[in-house]
Amino acid sequence: MINLAWRDIRHAWSKFLFTGAGLGLLIGATMTMAGVYRGMVDDAKVLLDNSGSDLWVVQQGTLGPYAEPSSLYDDTWRSIRTVPGVERAANATYLTMQVRKGNADVRAMVVGTSTVSYGDPGQPGYLVAGRQITRGHYEAVADMATRFSLGDSIQIRRKQYTVVGLTRRMVSSSGDPMVFIPLKDAQEAQFLKDNDAILQQRRRTALNPAFNPPGQPKLLDAVISSQSTNPYVNAVLVQLKPGQNHGKVADEIKRWKHLQVYTRAEMEQILIGKLIATSARQIGMFMVILMVVSAAIVAFIIYTLTMGKIREIAVLKLIGTRNKTIVAMILQQALGLGLIGFIAGKLVATLWAPIFPKYVLLEPGDALRGLLAVIVICSLSSVIAIRAALKVDPAEAIGG
Amino acid sequence: MAENTGIRITDLRKQYGSGESVVEALKGVDLQVVPGEVVGLIGPSGSGKSTLLKCLGAVIEPTSGQMALRSELIYDGSWLVSDLRALRRDKIGFVFQAPYLIPFLDVIDNIALVPMLAGVSNTESRNRAMELLEALDVGHRAKAFPSQLSGGEQQRVSIARALVNRPPVVLADEPTAPLDSERALSVIRMLNQMAVQYQAAVIVVTHDEKIIPTFKRIYRIRDGRTVEEAGEGRLC
Ligand SMILES: Nc1ncnc2c1ncn2[C@@H]1O[C@H](COP(=O)(O)OP(=O)(O)OP(=O)(O)O)[C@@H](O)[C@H]1O
Ligand SMILES: [Mg+2]
């Protein structure tokens, strides 16, 4: 028996190929959407993995440090280090901002990291080039995605830093590359005012009789110096000794210090469940829209192709073709179109993923689910055409 | 198998609709075509020619009467055959006003499709198709697509399609309408030749003055009733 669907596709291959390619762009966009979501989840996990910590200690009542602002005194880590089970504890600050190099700037997450001892949580783990930060000031380790290179001089706020090391895939949960700088510098960067503002503040403080009472000149100096330092950090990252029950140690710190403590699993829940949830819903909505559009296109094309063959279908029925054969022809054409679209879509998604400004993670499992969705959508979309074909009366072939 | 008596229709009636709006399209048609014979069916517009062809072609159900193909009664007040689709496929060949070939199949497969639908192997189906194409003088176009053929060639291919399952009955509805007189005559000549060769009973519905003189026998249908007439039988 001849496969009618295949013969029709072969005969009108250019029509099928172009339609399939158009459909493929839509499918490719849908796959990329899924890839962007997977990339965001992966970025979040990488962010947590790369921090090298087991517990995140943040300000009470906050979801910090990534999802909400959080501030702790920068000496909190010392007391946390004494909690049983804790191996290391280190301060960390996070601030997403523009980092300048010459006239250009790059959006980056500036991470203030402990330089107390090598291997503290929060430090950039693995370097692809260069070395770790060794001085307490003005050195930076940047992610390759910033396109900075070793020896570059970059500007964060008003200070210049030299890039001494490079990392790979160190990104924030929104995909911005990280730039690591010493903690003290980062605290200053978070807090630093410009010179005019400092002068202004000094003047206002001096005019306030409460801070500048007559006969106590040292009080004004003390107030001003306290105003121009930043004793806060965003989080304390805690590494536990091997074999510890993370939840137990977390409870211990919570009870003892009145701080919020998150385990790795809770942190992941916050990042994926809260921080990227809105983006995920947007992506989901986009995917639904793209799928509906794809379905409409397949339905329209298959319907048009079928209506163009109504006479032939009437003749086929008249000469004794089973309905089954006609249904199979239409269904196979819809699936063929879907398959061409899927292959084209996979191809374009793979081609444009690397140049996408966000990390796009194309998972084979998603491709498989995509293929299943294409099959289901194409089958459903051909229903209208199939109904039209089944309604054709073989008597129509004979005419009036 | 019983003796092949071709087509025999007795007192066939067909009403469209019911009640007030009833149309009596056939009011007792009697008609007989023997194997190897080509008869003309002529009559004014609305006289019931297409209706008769549709009843005989088993695509609409008559209201009453009898129809027999090859001495097998297929209709006697109701269908006596359970699978009308198979009846059409195996017993009846159709030729239409336009060829209605399948545009995406080449010529040989347009024809071979019909035996394939009946379960004949692909090779055997294509052999039969080729044999017919050569008999109809279009063998050299076997690998062409319908759109690449002339109108006359297309109509010959559609005749080959009608005959490929060796049906005892061939029904042709205005088969020469789009053709000039020479091509029209050649189509009729081929139908006659095939009718003899395959012992098929052929009915040709036509308005076409050019071909009316070729029939030996004509049924004139008027007002839903048939009158048999002798034709000129000039098949030059
Ligand atoms: N489906 C239908 N429903 C109702 N009436 C119909 C139907 N089909 C045909 N008729 C009527 O039956 C009569 C015969 O129609 P038919 O199509 O058989 O004529 P015809 O001889 O083929 O005419 P023509 O030469 O114009 O093709 C006409 O009066 C027509 O209006
Ligand atoms: Mg008619």
Side-chain angles (χ1 to χ4, degrees), chain B residues 25-74:
Chain B
L26 301 178
K27 300 174 186 163
V29 166
D30 293 295
L31 176 149
Q32 194 175 350
V33 188
V34 298
E37 186 188 24
V38 179
V39 303
L41 182 64
I42 60 177
S45 185
S47 54
K49 304 184 294 295
S50 295
T51 303
L52 179 55
L53 233 50
K54 283 177 190 172
C55 289
L56 199 49
V59 288
I60 61 173
E61 186 169 359
T63 313
S64 67
Q66 288 186 331
M67 295 193 291
L69 300 184
R70 210 189 221 169
S71 49
E72 179 193 346
L73 206 54
I74 60 161

Side-chain angles (χ1 to χ4, degrees), chain A residues 1-5 7-12 309 311-313 315-323 325 329 333 393-400, chain B residues 50 53-54 57 59-60 85-86 88-89 94 96 99-106 109-110 112-114 116-117 120 122 126 145 147 161 165 173:
Chain A
M1 183 58 199
I2 294 170
N3 183 322
L4 295 172
R7 297 288 287 267
D8 192 13
I9 293 178
R10 210 175 66 180
H11 187 246
K309 287 196 289 265
R311 266 286 173 193
E312 286 77 16
I313 288 172
V315 171
L316 283 172
K317 284 184 166 186
L318 185 69
I319 64 179
T321 310
R322 285 191 182 84
N323 278 341
T325 310
M329 173 175 85
Q333 282 183 345
D393 184 353
E396 275 174 40
I398 296 180
Chain B
S50 295
L53 233 50
K54 283 177 190 172
V59 288
I60 61 173
R85 192 181 54 76
R88 291 199 298 270
R89 185 189 66 202
F94 295 92
F96 315 105
Y100 298 146
L101 300 173
I102 310 298
F104 52 82
L105 295 181
D106 55 20
D109 281 349
N110 256 285
L113 176 66
V114 183
M116 285 179 198
L117 289 174
V120 178
N122 287 10
R126 291 205 174 98
F145 283 94
S147 60
R161 178 174 63 186
N165 272 354
D173 193 8

Side-chain angles (χ1 to χ4, degrees), chain A residues 223-284:
Chain A
V223 170
I224 286 174
S225 95
S226 86
Q227 280 174 341
S228 47
T229 53
N230 172 14
Y232 297 105
V233 294
N234 300 129
V236 173
L237 307 181
V238 178
Q239 228 171 53
L240 299 182
K241 294 198 172 90
Q244 293 296 318
N245 180 330
H246 293 196
K248 248 192 190 146
V249 181
D251 288 342
E252 190 70 12
I253 299 172
K254 263 187 237 173
R255 194 168 55 230
W256 180 74
K257 276 304 247 172
H258 299 287
L259 294 167
Q260 182 68 52
V261 185
Y262 294 113
T263 62
R264 159 73 205 235
E266 289 165 340
M267 215 55 206
E268 200 172 306
Q269 186 52 41
I270 290 172
L271 285 181
I272 294 164
K274 299 202 164 37
L275 196 58
I276 63 176
T278 311
S279 313
R281 274 199 298 275
Q282 287 168 349
I283 288 174

Side-chain angles (χ1 to χ4, degrees), chain B residues 134-194:
Chain B
E134 305 220 295
L136 289 166
D137 234 12
V138 271
H140 60 294
R141 306 296 279 146
K143 283 284 159 200
F145 283 94
S147 60
Q148 298 165 326
L149 301 186
S150 74
E153 285 171 332
Q154 288 184 25
Q155 198 55 298
R156 274 182 274 168
V157 174
S158 81
I159 291 171
R161 178 174 63 186
L163 292 168
V164 68
N165 272 354
R166 320 252 156 103
V169 170
V170 173
L171 305 176
D173 193 8
E174 311 257 12
T176 60
L179 304 177
D180 63 35
S181 76
E182 194 172 325
R183 294 225 167 76
L185 285 174
S186 115
V187 162
I188 293 299
R189 228 174 276 135
M190 291 196 172
L191 273 176
N192 273 283
Q193 185 191 326
M194 293 294 132

Side-chain angles (χ1 to χ4, degrees), chain A residues 27-42 283 287 291 342 345-346 349 359-375:
Chain A
I27 293 175
T30 315
M31 284 177 166
T32 308
M33 287 286 172
V36 165
Y37 173 71
R38 296 289 180 205
M40 281 165 56
V41 170
D42 199 62
I283 288 174
M287 285 175 66
M291 279 196 236
F342 177 78
K346 183 84 184 94
Y359 178 53
V360 178
L361 180 60
L362 299 172
E363 288 188 349
D366 285 344
L368 198 70
R369 277 184 282 278
L371 183 62
L372 288 178
V374 166
I375 290 173

